[in-house]
Amino acid sequence: MTSDIMVRSREPLDIVKYSSICEQQKLLQEIPRDDIKKIVDAIIDRGVHLIESDVNNEFFYKNPYYIPKHVDFKEKPAGKSISEHIGSSFDSSTDESEAEDEEEVTFQQEWITIGNFDFVTAIHQLTAFVEKWELTPPTKFVVIAQEFAEEVKPFGHRYFAEIHFSKPTPKCPNPLATAKLNFHINICSYLPTFYPIMITYKFEGFKTMYYAVGERKLSSIKFQRYLIDSILHMKLAFYAELWDCRNPLKPLEKRKKSGF
């Protein structure tokens, strides 16, 4: 630092630049302190209002990784075109080749940062995150996502993804009942770029919001299966009742054939 100052002190004086700095200093000195205080207070009030408006902490949250501010970010990796994934699903039960496994993004408890955000990478991390859950055998899931961002004023942008859970069997490879989870990928426009993205999700038919990042994140990887199984059970029970209502004579026909 001292050497830089010494080098600059030996350079020829830039009269134009020096005079411009002097003019700016004069203008700052002419501004009353009360006016400066009002400007600063307005900025602070605006920030407090934004944070308090985000009641669910979907866009404003503490950094769980405590990454220093001076960290250098690498350029975004050249990922696959999102057009290759639109309308497609990522099946957790599909065996990938060794080459594809090497390229696959594994979830290491740290989500991609806001500054390095890439939708395809975020979806791969989301898939790896759900793969860690301890689900009831033989539960399978697919991830369905399209790169569509909704602007959430004044906070930032939100991306969407769905995960469908089901229990296929050899007799019924395409099960009737599926349990859906809706995921939100929130990108705040105000947080530092070294902050991780925020991931929240809700189970179909339930209002509780769960967090995959930050202080509200649940460390359990078992509770999810109970909600998923409950949704599947309720749907199957409903479909069974619906079938009985549409076919009221079926039991009577069985009774007659059995001789009763």
Side-chain angles (χ1 to χ4, degrees):
M1 183 70 179
T2 306
S3 60
D4 292 340
I5 296 174
M6 294 294 294
V7 171
R8 288 198 301 268
S9 64
R10 295 171 184 171
E11 294 177 352
L13 181 62
D14 189 338
I15 303 298
V16 177
K17 183 178 180 180
Y18 177 75
S19 59
S20 177
I21 294 174
C22 292
E23 290 295 329
Q24 292 177 5
Q25 290 178 344
K26 288 180 181 179
L27 291 174
L28 290 174
Q29 292 174 357
E30 292 175 359
I31 300 176
R33 291 186 177 181
D34 291 341
D35 292 346
I36 296 176
K37 183 177 181 301
K38 289 179 181 178
I39 295 173
V40 174
D41 289 343
I43 294 173
I44 295 174
D45 291 341
R46 171 63 174 170
V48 172
H49 175 71
L50 283 172
I51 295 173
E52 291 180 345
S53 298
D54 184 24
V55 180
N56 295 321
N57 299 125
E58 296 177 89
F59 290 91
F60 291 97
Y61 45 90
K62 293 182 179 179
N63 180 16
Y65 307 142
Y66 304 103
I67 304 174
K69 294 183 178 181
H70 61 269
V71 67
D72 294 328
F73 287 95
K74 297 180 181 179
E75 294 182 1
K76 293 183 180 180
K80 295 181 181 179
S81 172
I82 192 60
S83 61
E84 297 179 76
H85 298 282
I86 290 179
S88 64
S89 62
F90 301 83
D91 192 348
S92 65
S93 62
T94 303
D95 293 328
E96 303 292 341
S97 64
E98 293 182 0
E100 289 175 337
D101 285 339
E102 290 178 359
E103 295 179 358
E104 185 179 357
V105 179
T106 56
F107 184 68
Q108 301 296 336
Q109 300 297 330
E110 289 193 6
W111 294 90
I112 188 172
T113 60
I114 294 174
N116 291 330
F117 175 73
D118 175 74
F119 181 74
V120 176
T121 302
I123 293 300
H124 278 296
Q125 283 192 322
L126 180 59
T127 305
F129 171 71
V130 176
E131 284 177 343
K132 289 181 173 290
W133 295 355
E134 295 184 7
L135 304 177
T136 305
T139 306
K140 306 295 180 182
F141 72 87
V142 292
V143 180
I144 303 173
Q146 293 185 347
E147 189 178 18
F148 168 75
E150 176 188 39
E151 184 178 3
V152 184
K153 294 182 179 180
F155 305 110
H157 292 82
R158 173 177 291 156
Y159 294 82
F160 304 88
E162 281 189 1
I163 295 186
H164 295 188
F165 294 84
S166 62
K167 294 184 178 181
T169 61
K171 292 184 178 180
C172 186
N174 296 316
L176 182 64
T178 59
K180 298 179 182 178
L181 267 73
N182 296 311
F183 280 81
H184 287 173
I185 304 172
N186 301 315
I187 313 297
C188 184
S189 300
Y190 296 94
L191 290 180
T193 55
F194 57 83
Y195 268 54
I197 59 176
M198 172 55 70
I199 307 290
T200 60
Y201 56 99
K202 288 184 179 181
F203 291 85
E204 180 183 5
F206 293 86
K207 294 182 179 180
T208 303
M209 179 184 295
Y210 296 92
Y211 296 75
V213 186
E215 296 177 332
R216 298 190 182 186
K217 174 187 174 183
L218 297 179
S219 59
S220 174
I221 58 175
K222 296 180 180 181
F223 86 94
Q224 295 89 348
R225 69 185 179 194
Y226 298 110
L227 293 176
I228 293 169
D229 289 348
S230 297
I231 296 170
L232 293 175
H233 177 74
M234 286 188 293
K235 285 191 174 183
L236 289 173
F238 171 76
Y239 293 145
E241 288 187 12
L242 186 63
W243 174 261
D244 291 339
C245 291
R246 290 185 176 182
N247 300 274
L249 300 180
K250 287 281 184 179
L252 295 178
E253 291 177 359
K254 290 181 180 180
R255 291 176 186 177
K256 289 179 181 179
K257 289 180 181 181
S258 60
F260 292 97

